[in-house]
Amino acid sequence: MQTFIDKDLCIGCGVCADSCPEVFRMTDDDHAEVYGTTTEENSDLVREAVENCPTDAITTE
Ligand code: SF4
């Protein structure tokens, strides 16, 4: 599974980085980025981040 963030939609709330810090982190310009690999072990946390992102900025495929 691959994970993407639409930076135009991200409001920098930090929910994704809190949910799954292995995959998401905040950048200096207050947006989130994907820097880690989505694996079987953390995919539930990634899905949680997708569901809880307030602007639906995170997608997976
Ligand atoms: Fe951005 Fe969504 Fe992550 Fe919040 S949860 S930082 S809006 S990608």
Side-chain angles (χ1 to χ4, degrees):
M1 185 164 80
Q2 285 197 302
T3 305
F4 306 93
I5 291 176
D6 184 336
K7 281 204 166 193
D8 291 335
L9 294 177
C10 176
I11 58 171
C13 70
V15 164
C16 55
D18 286 344
S19 295
C20 189
E22 278 181 31
V23 173
F24 304 101
R25 68 182 171 193
M26 303 309 292
T27 63
D28 289 342
D29 64 352
D30 280 336
H31 287 86
E33 69 178 1
V34 176
Y35 78 102
T37 307
T38 305
T39 64
E40 270 186 38
E41 285 73 32
N42 63 31
S43 61
D44 283 349
L45 294 175
V46 171
R47 284 192 194 92
E48 184 182 304
V50 171
E51 286 168 17
N52 291 332
C53 174
T55 60
D56 294 332
I58 311 169
T59 53
T60 58
E61 66 181 37

